Amino acid sequence: MPIKILLIEDNPDHIEITKRILQKADKDYQVDFAMDSREGLKKIFEGPYDAVLCDYRLAGLTALDILKEMNNKNKDTPFIVVTALGNEKVAVDMMKEGAYDYIVKDVMYNDTLDMVIKNSIERYSAKKEKERLQKEVGEAYVKLKETQGQLIQAEKLSAIGQLASGVAHEVRNPLGIILQAVNYLEKKISPCGQDISETLVMLKNSVNRADKIINALFDFSKAGGMELNPEDVNSILEVSLSLVRAKSKFENIQVVMETKKDIPMVLADKNKLEQVFINILLNAIQAMPDGGKITIRSYDKKLEESRNGIGRREGDCFKTGEWAVIVEIEDTGIGVSEENLKKIFDPFFTTKGPAGGAGLGLSVTMNIINMHRGLINIESYPGKGTKLIITLHTVNS
Amino acid sequence: MPKKTILIIDDEEDLRKLLKMNLESAGDFKVITAANGMEGIAWAQKIKPDLILLDILMPDMDGIETLKILRKDKDTFKVPVIMLTALGYAPFKSRALELRADGYITKPIDAGELKTKIDNVLKGFKGGLENG
């Protein structure tokens, strides 16, 4: 393997001498040279060289200037300063700036040059290897944290699944008794005063509320049972919107559809994806008590940028360069604070108060998207609105 | 018209009592109750009810097991059975369907909905395995 050296030296005799020394020491040396600092700097950046041997005293820029310029531009090449006898202090200063080593032009020059260069190259390789390992350790740590997070999430889900069955049985039986008792009282004390009938309605409503929470728990823990088919995401969006329109008031809410025609089919469980869109739309409506605008977008896109869930790592849902279908649902509502944003997909997290729900809507949503090996992201600015972005696999991928 | 006889098999005592009170006060039914599968089968063989409300999750013998025995018995195999359950659990539903259950209601049960369901089943209209 050739060892490519750049020699920056303005004295032609010294160039010749150094070349000879090196070629005598090792036939692998290939010596290129620059006779002034500017040319030297240019060659360094054109590189690559295994090492740069630079005379300290140059016309124009000094070796220190060259080194600083390399540092500014993050150019790391083993840099060795050649100084005259008695100039060691300068050399030490250069070492502080990042020079790999220095060598004094004295009687030892001939014998030590080869060793000095090779030591520097070795140190450079060791440094690079250390950096590579540090990077690998860093990546492994991130991966470990991610896996740990997923494991915790999976454990939570499985625990909630078991809980859901237990809770359903233990709670629905007493709820059944309460409801039957209310039904009985309704009949027995009718006609009754308004306060009594209102109380009975409250009892019934509370039973229904508790029952809805149990249903939500069930939805949340249902992991299996996916029925994947090629589906048109636009028609699922339209059906979901009409279902939400039937259920909720759309007072002062404008809906803008920006769906792309002839979008590729996605591989999805239609009912589950409907549930996802309904959950998000209901959240959007609740976030806009005084009205606002919901924008629904769909488009296909080549995923160029590697980020969480997209890349070439094991466990990434999408590969960079892959085509995917993106659905965005954006509202102009109250938004979510940065602090709450971190917890928004957590089971049982809610800001809506006891009457608002069990805090499972978005965690069910995320669960379903995970089951599709898709991605869900949220962007939100308090006072401005919230955007949910869902990335799904096309049938072809 | 003679009152129809309904057999309720459920391990929850209060629920048995209230279901009986509500159905009987609706006027058209005479209700017998049993606290477990074995007792329920014995009553069913004895009185040959017009309809059975059968809870699924019970200790010792669950509702699915009870239904299996009811369907094998010459005296009870034709009696319509509506399953009661606290779990909206799909495998139970399909198992109940295989055993020719006539209906499936998830608790908590509203008295009005239950009455409609019972009337439909008694009229021979099988409302499938959905609630109501």
Side-chain angles (χ1 to χ4, degrees):
Chain A
M1 276 273 286
I3 308 167
K4 292 179 78 181
I5 305 292
L6 175 65
L7 174 62
I8 309 174
E9 168 69 75
D10 50 9
N11 183 329
D13 291 343
H14 285 166
I15 294 175
E16 219 31 60
I17 292 166
T18 305
K19 266 186 174 177
R20 252 185 255 154
I21 295 169
L22 288 177
Q23 267 147 15
K24 198 177 162 196
D26 191 331
K27 285 195 170 59
D28 284 340
Y29 278 116
Q30 284 182 3
V31 183
D32 190 8
F33 61 89
M35 292 195 62
D36 65 63
S37 51
R38 296 214 177 268
E39 192 195 350
L41 204 52
K42 193 169 161 254
K43 284 195 167 178
I44 288 172
F45 284 100
E46 284 168 0
Y49 293 99
D50 293 306
V52 177
L53 200 60
C54 183
D55 188 39
Y56 181 72
R57 281 182 193 283
L58 290 166
L61 299 175
T62 65
L64 190 63
D65 295 326
I66 294 176
L67 195 57
K68 280 183 178 166
E69 185 63 15
M70 284 171 71
N71 286 342
N72 284 343
K73 293 188 175 154
N74 286 325
K75 179 73 183 173
D76 190 9
T77 305
F79 191 92
I80 302 153
V81 195
V82 184
T83 64
L85 189 62
N87 233 353
E88 286 89 342
K89 190 187 166 302
V90 169
V92 172
D93 289 344
M94 296 252 346
M95 295 284 285
K96 283 182 190 159
E97 273 300 320
Y100 273 64
D101 210 341
Y102 71 93
I103 183 161
V104 182
K105 275 187 206 160
D106 60 6
V107 285
M108 298 292 285
Y109 186 71
N110 284 14
D111 300 330
T112 52
L113 184 61
D114 173 50
M115 192 184 70
V116 166
I117 291 174
K118 282 182 181 159
N119 276 348
S120 294
I121 294 174
E122 216 166 89
R123 266 178 49 215
Y124 172 81
S125 306
K127 187 175 149 194
K128 287 291 149 192
E129 180 64 8
K130 188 178 156 200
E131 280 171 6
R132 190 185 65 78
L133 288 173
Q134 272 171 342
K135 197 176 158 221
E136 256 179 33
V137 169
E139 279 171 1
Y141 181 74
V142 170
K143 176 100 187 151
L144 184 70
K145 277 278 159 199
E146 270 174 22
T147 313
Q148 194 184 27
Q150 284 163 358
L151 267 176
I152 291 170
Q153 189 70 5
E155 269 173 27
K156 269 190 203 166
L157 281 179
S158 133
I160 288 167
Q162 286 171 7
L163 251 177
S165 309
V167 167
H169 185 248
E170 295 309 317
V171 177
R172 271 187 176 146
N173 271 320
L175 285 180
I177 293 167
I178 297 170
L179 191 57
Q180 285 293 315
V182 173
N183 290 152
Y184 185 72
L185 290 175
E186 275 174 336
K187 249 181 268 171
K188 283 291 159 182
I189 56 179
S190 166
C192 61
Q194 202 190 341
D195 52 344
I196 293 181
S197 68
E198 270 176 13
T199 310
L200 291 174
V201 168
M202 279 183 227
L203 266 169
K204 265 191 181 175
N205 287 346
S206 294
V207 169
N208 284 335
R209 213 171 92 191
D211 192 41
K212 271 188 192 159
I213 293 176
I214 292 168
N215 282 332
L217 262 174
F218 261 126
D219 283 345
F220 183 78
S221 57
K222 266 185 235 158
M226 288 261 290
E227 219 179 284
L228 292 176
N229 288 305
E231 301 286 354
D232 172 25
V233 86
N234 290 343
S235 25
I236 302 181
L237 278 167
E238 271 161 33
V239 171
S240 310
L241 184 64
S242 61
L243 287 171
V244 173
R245 273 190 201 277
K247 267 199 216 171
S248 304
K249 284 183 184 168
F250 263 71
E251 275 169 20
N252 302 321
I253 292 178
Q254 184 199 353
V255 179
V256 180
M257 294 293 275
E258 292 177 1
T259 49
K260 188 188 166 193
K261 278 183 189 168
D262 304 322
I263 197 167
M265 300 283 245
V266 295
L267 204 56
D269 183 310
K270 194 170 135 190
N271 293 328
K272 290 204 162 59
L273 211 52
E274 239 172 58
Q275 196 186 343
V276 164
F277 297 150
I278 289 172
N279 278 344
I280 298 173
L281 287 168
L282 288 175
N283 280 347
I285 294 168
Q286 280 174 358
M288 300 188 291
D290 303 322
K293 187 169 91 174
I294 297 177
T295 311
I296 301 174
R297 289 183 202 95
S298 69
Y299 54 93
D300 53 337
K301 181 185 163 184
K302 195 174 180 184
L303 303 171
E304 307 275 14
E305 195 187 327
S306 166
R307 60 180 166 88
N308 214 359
I310 303 172
R312 300 272 162 187
R313 290 158 297 191
E314 200 185 305
D316 278 336
C317 298
F318 294 89
K319 291 191 171 67
T320 33
E322 185 179 338
W323 280 86
V325 166
I326 318 275
V327 173
E328 293 180 3
I329 301 180
E330 187 173 6
D331 66 56
T332 55
I334 51 175
V336 185
S337 71
E338 204 176 319
E339 196 194 335
N340 286 342
L341 218 48
K342 288 179 205 152
K343 297 180 274 187
I344 200 140
F345 292 111
D346 286 356
F348 303 110
F349 177 74
T350 179
T351 55
K352 294 174 193 164
L360 287 170
L362 273 182
S363 41
V364 170
T365 297
M366 185 164 87
N367 234 2
I368 295 174
I369 297 299
N370 286 344
M371 281 152 61
H372 284 85
R373 284 194 52 73
L375 295 174
I376 180 161
N377 295 95
I378 184 165
E379 291 171 7
S380 189
Y381 303 96
K384 287 188 179 165
T386 303
K387 179 157 85 172
L388 268 294
I389 306 144
I390 293 167
T391 311
L392 294 167
H393 286 277
T394 64
V395 171
N396 298 334
S397 69
Chain B
M1 207 169 75
K3 285 187 178 178
K4 300 277 185 188
T5 310
I6 291 178
L7 172 62
I8 296 174
I9 309 172
D10 196 311
D11 60 324
E12 284 275 347
E13 190 187 349
D14 291 348
L15 189 65
R16 283 200 307 273
K17 266 190 203 164
L18 282 159
L19 281 170
K20 179 179 161 77
M21 276 152 55
N22 276 327
L23 287 171
E24 287 190 337
S25 69
D28 310 326
F29 308 113
K30 176 177 168 40
V31 178
I32 307 288
T33 64
N36 57 56
M38 291 302 286
E39 197 187 321
I41 292 164
W43 272 111
Q45 288 164 337
K46 195 173 163 190
I47 61 169
K48 297 186 187 63
D50 295 295
L51 184 139
I52 297 173
L53 294 179
L54 176 56
D55 186 29
I56 290 187
L57 276 190
M58 291 186 292
D60 300 331
M61 184 192 283
D62 67 17
I64 299 289
E65 203 52 40
T66 308
L67 181 61
K68 220 191 275 176
I69 295 171
L70 288 171
R71 287 299 183 233
K72 279 184 189 160
D73 190 295
K74 65 176 171 42
D75 291 324
T76 57
F77 79 99
K78 274 188 175 167
V79 180
V81 176
I82 296 175
M83 307 300 286
L84 308 180
T85 178
L87 295 173
Y89 183 52
F92 281 161
K93 280 194 186 180
S94 50
R95 192 78 191 98
L97 185 69
E98 280 168 28
L99 292 166
R100 291 180 288 112
D102 299 79
Y104 194 102
I105 298 186
T106 307
K107 294 172 182 179
I109 306 159
D110 177 76
E113 280 176 27
L114 180 63
K115 171 90 171 47
T116 314
K117 183 85 182 173
I118 291 173
D119 287 343
N120 284 340
V121 172
L122 287 176
K123 275 184 221 156
F125 169 75
K126 292 192 178 183
L129 289 177
E130 297 306 313
N131 261 8

